[in-house]
Amino acid sequence: MAAGIAIGSEQGAAGEYNGRMTSFVVLSCMMAAMGGVIFGYDIGISGGVTSMEPFLKKFFPEVYTKMREDTKISNYCKFDSQLLTTFTSSLYVAGLIASFFASSVTKAFGRKPSILFGGAAFLAGAALGGAAFDVYMLIFGRILLGVGVGFANQSVPLYLSEMAPPRYRGAINNGFQFSVGIGALAANLINYGTQKIKGGWGWRISLAMAAVPALILTLGALFLPETANSLIQRKDNNQKAKSMLQRIRGTQDVQLELDDLIKASEISKTIKHPFKKIMEKKYRPQLVMAIAIPFLQQVTGINVIAFYAPVVFRTMGIGESASLMSAVVTGVVGTGSTFISMLIVDKLGRRVLLMVGGIQMLVSQVMIGGVLASQLGDHGGVSKGYAVLVLILICVYVAGFGWSWGPLGWLIPSEIFPLEIRSAGQSINVAVNFFFTFVVAQTFLAMLCHFKSGIFFFFGGWVVVMTVFVYLFLPETKNVPIEQMDRVWREHWFWKKVVGEEQKVSELGNKNQD
């Protein structure tokens, strides 16, 4: 989810930085990417266990009773329980709060300690979840998982961005979302297996297995090198930073990049109140995007699939095992499409992917809503043929999200902030994302009960809004160096009216000073 960007620039004043993608960088980034896997695992596991009957019977008996015994209740309302949604969404409240602390820790102590703490907190949460004997212990475990996710999501993408050579930064950033997909897919496969355990305790394995990627991340973080950016920012240790750059870039000639990092660090230290700074008119486009993009990403309706796919399939009358396998299928599609996005994002550009993905999501959501409206009433189920059709349409929808709003919802905000407001912009971006993830998670089951099949038309309406928003207000950021990103706003038909005069006045002032 949450992502960051390197303090530095895409390209120096005299040309591109030297260096290549080294095996040292690849191994470091693969280890750090476990932070994405733990988040994805949690997204997948929580939706799966909340559709398992032994789990519901133990912790949420009212939901179990409604599902099994209440023949009068609507299909769409079987899972409507505030306690059940609190189980899912408590993680995002904890993550929201933790991300603010994580930002300070990452800046003051480095990326490595923040990754280490995130892994350790997630490890503790996984142990509590697997051993839970009542709902309070279960939710406390979720809160610890949220702390882990808050720290990992703040520090891992920042680490990946700083380690990666600039020309691969888009693909590496999308690689974090790909790791989230791998985690969710692994969770869906484990849920499918543990649901078949006869004793009814398979959910314990599902929750406890989160400890595996968390343990890899925690132990691996002990051996991760610190980034050159962090060494300069925290210790002004330029020589050590130069040695690190030479190692990760695979060349001795890193002076151009080092000079930019030192300059960037010096500028960032002069800004005492970045949150106050970002409110200035000349940063209005970045502030709008920092709020709008994560908000719109969450109202695509992806969380209908990510958190509650098995629940949605069970709502349609599909059995427990089949609903979990359906979630596995959508997980494979989502992971595959995100991988495709990694390969094409720097060739086709951001706007094309967002608009094509938006149209794809809209068409599939309208068709899903139409099928459910005509075939799934308040009672009974849908035929096997229609269930397969809905699964195919959901796969089309997930693919659309997987190569558009999924990875690009994090990549674009990480590209657009000038250095002096980057920390504030990223914090706002992360906070808005966590907040609306929480809101959607907390309200979805109640909305499903009241809107019924109309829930898909509701999210489809938001997809129309976001596609029009991208077409009108988001300039293309492909191949634009970060330190020159302000020009895309000055050349945009709308934003130039907001920032144009402000930028000209600023530039004239700078020339007069020279």
Side-chain angles (χ1 to χ4, degrees):
M1 288 205 31
I5 192 68
I7 293 173
S9 52
E10 194 75 10
Q11 149 182 358
E16 290 195 2
Y17 300 146
N18 292 311
R20 56 188 170 82
M21 182 71 86
T22 60
S23 57
F24 183 68
V25 167
V26 171
L27 289 171
S28 298
C29 289
M30 283 173 66
M31 183 57 67
M34 276 291 160
V37 174
I38 64 172
F39 182 56
Y41 186 88
D42 188 82
I43 290 173
I45 221 71
S46 57
V49 296
T50 52
S51 74
M52 291 184 188
E53 292 181 13
F55 178 82
L56 291 173
K57 193 173 182 180
K58 182 172 180 63
F59 296 108
F60 307 98
E62 59 164 298
V63 177
Y64 178 78
T65 303
K66 278 196 287 188
M67 187 175 73
R68 298 293 293 178
E69 299 164 19
D70 193 340
T71 56
K72 294 179 182 177
I73 195 163
S74 167
N75 278 317
Y76 295 101
C77 299
K78 287 178 180 176
F79 293 91
D80 183 17
S81 160
Q82 278 307 112
L83 196 58
L84 186 61
T85 51
T86 300
F87 164 73
T88 301
S89 59
S90 56
L91 180 143
Y92 301 101
V93 178
L96 172 64
I97 296 166
S99 64
F100 287 110
F101 291 101
S103 181
S104 302
V105 170
T106 304
K107 188 175 181 180
F109 299 103
R111 288 56 169 146
K112 181 176 170 176
S114 200
I115 294 172
L116 186 65
F117 184 82
F122 201 90
L123 195 58
L128 271 180
F133 52 79
D134 64 22
V135 73
Y136 301 106
M137 187 173 173
L138 194 69
I139 289 175
F140 183 62
R142 291 284 293 173
I143 289 169
L144 281 177
L145 293 176
V147 172
V149 164
F151 271 82
N153 283 5
Q154 182 76 17
S155 53
V156 169
L158 181 61
Y159 184 90
L160 296 177
S161 294
E162 292 180 346
M163 289 294 283
R167 61 180 168 274
Y168 298 113
R169 191 167 285 151
I172 291 287
N173 256 320
N174 280 12
F176 180 71
Q177 180 76 18
F178 179 67
S179 300
V180 173
I182 292 287
L185 178 59
N188 289 330
L189 286 167
I190 288 167
N191 278 337
Y192 182 69
T194 58
Q195 169 266 330
K196 295 179 182 297
I197 292 173
K198 291 284 195 293
W201 46 269
W203 61 268
R204 290 193 183 275
I205 296 176
S206 291
L207 293 178
M209 283 287 282
V212 175
L215 187 63
I216 295 170
L217 180 69
T218 307
L219 294 177
L222 295 172
F223 301 99
L224 284 177
E226 191 56 90
T227 67
N229 311 59
S230 182
L231 292 170
I232 294 171
Q233 187 180 38
R234 293 182 301 112
K235 298 179 179 177
D236 284 327
N237 193 334
N238 296 353
Q239 192 52 48
K240 192 173 179 181
K242 185 175 183 178
S243 300
M244 179 56 67
L245 269 181
Q246 289 170 339
R247 191 176 179 194
I248 64 178
R249 298 291 179 249
T251 178
Q252 294 299 303
D253 185 12
V254 295
Q255 195 59 47
L256 184 63
E257 185 172 2
L258 182 67
D259 289 345
D260 270 4
L261 294 183
I262 293 168
K263 182 181 173 185
S265 179
E266 287 169 355
I267 293 170
S268 68
K269 287 173 183 175
T270 64
I271 305 297
K272 300 299 181 189
H273 305 290
F275 284 99
K276 188 176 178 183
K277 188 86 175 169
I278 201 172
M279 298 300 170
E280 293 178 9
K281 189 178 180 182
K282 65 178 177 178
Y283 301 123
R284 195 63 41 81
Q286 291 92 332
L287 180 61
V288 169
M289 295 301 164
I291 296 168
I293 288 178
F295 165 70
L296 292 171
Q297 187 191 42
Q298 291 312 308
V299 292
T300 54
I302 189 61
N303 291 320
V304 174
I305 309 305
F307 299 147
Y308 298 116
V311 171
V312 170
F313 288 125
R314 293 216 70 181
T315 294
M316 290 158 52
I318 298 174
E320 184 177 353
S321 182
S323 69
L324 290 171
M325 179 45 74
S326 301
V328 171
V329 173
T330 57
V332 171
V333 172
T335 305
S337 58
T338 302
F339 182 73
I340 292 169
S341 179
M342 289 171 62
L343 303 178
I344 62 177
V345 65
D346 292 319
K347 295 183 179 73
L348 296 182
R350 284 61 164 151
R351 280 168 55 87
V352 170
L353 288 181
L354 287 173
M355 286 188 282
V356 170
I359 293 166
Q360 188 174 331
M361 287 191 289
L362 173 63
V363 171
S364 53
Q365 279 177 315
V366 169
M367 290 179 71
I368 292 165
V371 170
L372 293 185
S374 63
Q375 299 298 319
L376 181 66
D378 286 334
H379 305 286
V382 298
S383 68
K384 186 177 179 181
Y386 279 111
V388 171
L389 175 60
V390 169
L391 176 60
I392 291 169
L393 290 171
I394 284 177
C395 287
V396 172
Y397 164 79
V398 168
F401 181 83
W403 54 53
S404 63
W405 280 90
L408 301 186
W410 290 108
L411 172 60
I412 292 166
S414 75
E415 296 177 316
I416 61 174
F417 301 118
L419 184 68
E420 61 269 22
I421 59 162
R422 196 165 293 157
S423 62
Q426 280 300 335
S427 294
I428 292 168
N429 186 42
V430 170
V432 171
N433 198 294
F434 267 124
F435 177 74
F436 284 105
T437 303
F438 164 73
V439 169
V440 172
Q442 189 68 25
T443 59
F444 169 67
L445 291 179
M447 287 170 67
L448 182 64
C449 179
H450 291 93
F451 284 26
K452 301 182 180 177
S453 58
I455 189 86
F456 290 96
F457 297 108
F458 171 78
F459 286 121
W462 280 110
V463 173
V464 173
V465 170
M466 65 186 67
T467 305
V468 171
F469 176 82
V470 167
Y471 181 75
L472 293 177
F473 300 113
L474 183 69
E476 182 56 71
T477 57
K478 176 186 73 169
N479 295 333
V480 180
I482 290 173
E483 77 278 8
Q484 296 175 22
M485 196 64 73
D486 59 336
R487 77 163 189 248
V488 303
W489 310 110
R490 292 203 306 272
E491 294 168 1
H492 187 266
W493 74 272
F494 176 79
W495 295 117
K496 68 181 179 183
K497 300 171 190 172
V498 179
V499 301
E501 293 304 315
E502 184 94 20
Q503 295 281 5
K504 285 174 186 172
V505 169
S506 175
E507 285 171 8
L508 283 171
N510 289 337
K511 283 179 182 175
N512 291 337
Q513 285 177 1
D514 293 342

